[in-house]
């Protein structure tokens, strides 16, 4: 069997990954030194959900003076209502920009508080935005188009009620990481094609965009690292079932399939050089440029999937986070 060469991990990130692997091995009850895999198989989805459950957010809210209000709002027509969490500083003046956040989790895990501990502080406190985080239905119980349609329904409600929330309806940024980044891209396409809210930008952090799972980078990281090729297949299959990899997949579910990327808001796309999503994310930025659009693309050498959140103190993570924050501040106008 021929081994495909692959870019190496950044040394600090590789050390962080080793710790994650040790922790995972301990949870699985593996013998010391035994080989373990982080690949998400279909039969591990339910147990993995418990493993990524969000920590309590109340200490963060209290520490930074952030208010949290939940709204149960209409979902897609004929489907259940959805829940939105709205966060903002207690002293925030009205007319602030809005960040509409879509959580990650491979389409099968997570909730609206996932990863919000760092992003919430940055967006709500440092950048002075109203942050709206959506609880969308998860696959496989709720396959496509449920997740992206939930996210779009939440965006419509947010835009219609922005002033009530203390936000400017003309300054809404859609943001997401991993699966949330893919859903954010899908929501931006839906808003364009349905004449929906005019977004000021789309912040796509290592976005999950292509169900076909056949890029070079998807083969380079097969059986290695966080969210490898096997995990990606599990997530996309949960979302799409037998349609995965066929011509029956919507561009809103898998934005990499879109052949026309014109008319989209400015995009920020960042990804690691050492992860499955590298090539599809680069291709998406190229598609935006080919259509005459605006995209900032950053490929961080040695970055593994979700590195800037998993190991924020690594030098490459600090650089990535600072670059992303600077772009977000510029787009929000804060």
């Amino acid at each position: 069997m021929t081994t495909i060469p692959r870019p190496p991990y950044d040394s600090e990130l590789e050390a962080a990954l080793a710790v994650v692997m040790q922790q995972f091995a301990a949870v699985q009850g593996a013998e010391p030194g035994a080989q373990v895999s982080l690949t998400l198989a279909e039969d591990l989805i339910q147990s993995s959900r418990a493993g990524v459950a969000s920590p309590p957010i109340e200490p963060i809210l209290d520490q930074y003076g952030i208010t949290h209000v939940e709204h149960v709002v209409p979902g897609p027509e004929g489907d259940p209502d959805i829940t939105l969490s709205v966060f903002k500083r207690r002293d925030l003046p009205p007319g602030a920009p809005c960040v509409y956040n879509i959580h990650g989790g491979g389409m099968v895990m997570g909730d609206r508080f996932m990863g919000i501990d760092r992003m919430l502080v940055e967006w709500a406190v440092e950048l002075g935005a109203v942050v709206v985080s959506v609880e969308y239905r998860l696959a496989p119980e709720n396959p496509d188009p449920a997740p992206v349609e939930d996210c779009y329904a939440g965006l419509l409600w947010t835009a219609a009620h922005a002033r009530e929330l203390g936000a400017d309806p003309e300054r809404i940024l859609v943001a997401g990481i991993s699966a949330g980044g893919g859903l954010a891209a899908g929501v931006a396409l839906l808003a364009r094609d349905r004449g929906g809210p005019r977004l000021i930008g789309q912040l796509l952090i290592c976005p999950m965009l292509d169900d076909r799972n056949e890029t070079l980078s998807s083969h380079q990281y097969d059986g290695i690292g966080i969210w490898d090729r096997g995990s990606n297949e599990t997530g996309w299959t949960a979302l799409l079932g037998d349609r995965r990899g066929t011509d029956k997949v919507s561009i809103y579910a898998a934005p990499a399939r879109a052949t026309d990327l014109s008319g989209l808001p400015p995009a920020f796309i960042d990804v690691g050089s050492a992860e499955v999503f590298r090539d599809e994310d680069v291709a998406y930025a190229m598609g935006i440029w080919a259509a005459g659009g605006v995209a900032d693309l950053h490929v961080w050498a040695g970055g593994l999937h979700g590195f800037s959140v998993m190991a924020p103190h690594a030098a490459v993570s600090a650089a990535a986070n600072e670059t992303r924050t600077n772009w977000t501040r510029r787009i929000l106008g804060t």
Side-chain angles (χ1 to χ4, degrees), residues 55-70 85-91 112-113 116-122 124-125 129 131 133:
I57 62 170
E58 287 75 14
I60 300 171
L61 302 179
D62 292 341
Q63 180 181 356
Y64 292 99
I66 299 171
T67 64
H68 172 212
V69 179
E70 291 187 352
S85 278
V86 180
F87 304 97
K88 60 181 177 180
R89 285 193 332 235
R90 292 193 179 96
D91 62 349
R112 65 189 183 280
F113 305 124
I116 203 82
D117 48 352
R118 192 187 73 80
M119 295 299 188
L120 174 60
V121 173
E122 176 183 315
V125 178
V131 181
S133 195

Side-chain angles (χ1 to χ4, degrees), residues 186 189 192-193 249-260:
L189 288 166
R192 178 197 68 178
D193 295 345
V249 176
S250 162
I251 65 170
Y252 311 118
R257 289 177 170 269
T259 56
D260 176 12

Side-chain angles (χ1 to χ4, degrees), residues 18 28 36 96 107 115 118 120 127 141 148 172 214 249 288 299 310 315 327 330 332:
Q28 296 297 312
V36 295
M107 306 290 181
R118 192 187 73 80
L120 174 60
L127 302 185
E141 296 90 341
V148 72
I172 300 176
E214 287 296 342
V249 176
I288 293 173
V299 182
M310 184 191 81
W327 179 90
R330 174 162 53 89
L332 295 180

Side-chain angles (χ1 to χ4, degrees), residues 5-332:
R6 59 177 180 84
Y9 292 129
D10 171 86
S11 58
E12 288 184 284
L13 299 179
E14 190 166 33
L17 177 60
V19 172
V20 171
M21 297 292 286
Q22 291 171 358
Q23 294 172 339
F24 185 76
V27 170
Q28 296 297 312
E31 294 292 329
Q35 290 289 104
V36 295
S37 171
L38 297 179
T39 300
L40 177 68
E42 180 182 2
D43 60 354
L44 296 177
I45 290 176
Q46 294 297 331
S47 60
S48 296
R49 287 175 177 172
V52 299
S54 299
I57 62 170
E58 287 75 14
I60 300 171
L61 302 179
D62 292 341
Q63 180 181 356
Y64 292 99
I66 299 171
T67 64
H68 172 212
V69 179
E70 291 187 352
H71 296 270
V72 178
V73 309
E77 185 175 356
D79 286 329
D81 292 343
I82 57 176
T83 301
L84 302 175
S85 278
V86 180
F87 304 97
K88 60 181 177 180
R89 285 193 332 235
R90 292 193 179 96
D91 62 349
L92 189 69
C98 175
V99 177
Y100 184 77
N101 176 65
I102 305 175
H103 72 79
M107 306 290 181
V108 299
M109 298 178 286
D111 58 37
R112 65 189 183 280
F113 305 124
M114 186 177 184
I116 203 82
D117 48 352
R118 192 187 73 80
M119 295 299 188
L120 174 60
V121 173
E122 176 183 315
W123 295 334
V125 178
E126 296 179 22
L127 302 185
V130 175
V131 181
V132 180
S133 195
V134 57
E135 191 76 36
Y136 59 87
R137 288 171 290 171
L138 299 174
E141 296 90 341
N142 302 282
D144 174 69
V148 72
E149 291 290 354
D150 283 358
C151 294
Y152 186 66
L155 174 66
L156 291 178
W157 187 92
T158 298
H161 296 81
R163 288 192 173 87
E164 300 168 30
L165 303 177
D168 180 352
E170 302 300 321
R171 286 197 293 162
I172 300 176
L173 167 72
V174 63
I177 182 170
S178 192
L183 289 166
V187 163
L189 288 166
L190 280 170
R192 178 197 68 178
D193 295 345
R194 294 180 181 176
R198 290 181 60 86
L199 301 168
I200 60 171
Q202 49 181 328
L203 175 57
L204 312 179
I205 307 169
C206 53
M208 179 178 176
L209 300 171
D210 195 344
D211 65 292
R212 292 164 292 196
N213 205 23
E214 287 296 342
T215 62
L216 173 60
S217 58
S218 75
H219 286 278
Q220 287 177 317
Y221 297 92
D222 189 354
I224 182 172
I226 294 175
W227 200 258
D228 68 342
R229 188 167 187 271
S231 299
N232 205 35
E233 181 173 335
T234 298
W236 280 115
T237 301
L239 182 71
L240 300 170
D242 293 341
R243 289 184 292 134
R244 186 183 73 83
T246 72
D247 60 3
K248 297 179 181 179
V249 176
S250 162
I251 65 170
Y252 311 118
R257 289 177 170 269
T259 56
D260 176 12
L261 295 179
S262 63
L264 293 172
F268 181 97
I269 302 170
D270 72 347
V271 67
S273 70
E275 66 164 300
V276 164
F277 296 146
R278 182 195 67 218
D279 294 351
E280 63 199 63
D281 293 354
V282 170
Y284 201 69
M286 293 178 66
I288 293 173
W289 295 328
V294 176
D296 279 39
L297 171 67
H298 299 271
V299 182
W300 297 97
L304 48 83
H305 186 60
F307 69 93
S308 61
V309 175
M310 184 191 81
H313 300 299
V316 66
S317 300
N321 288 331
E322 181 181 11
T323 300
R324 189 185 311 121
T325 299
N326 289 340
W327 179 90
T328 307
R329 179 179 286 111
R330 174 162 53 89
I331 287 293
L332 295 180

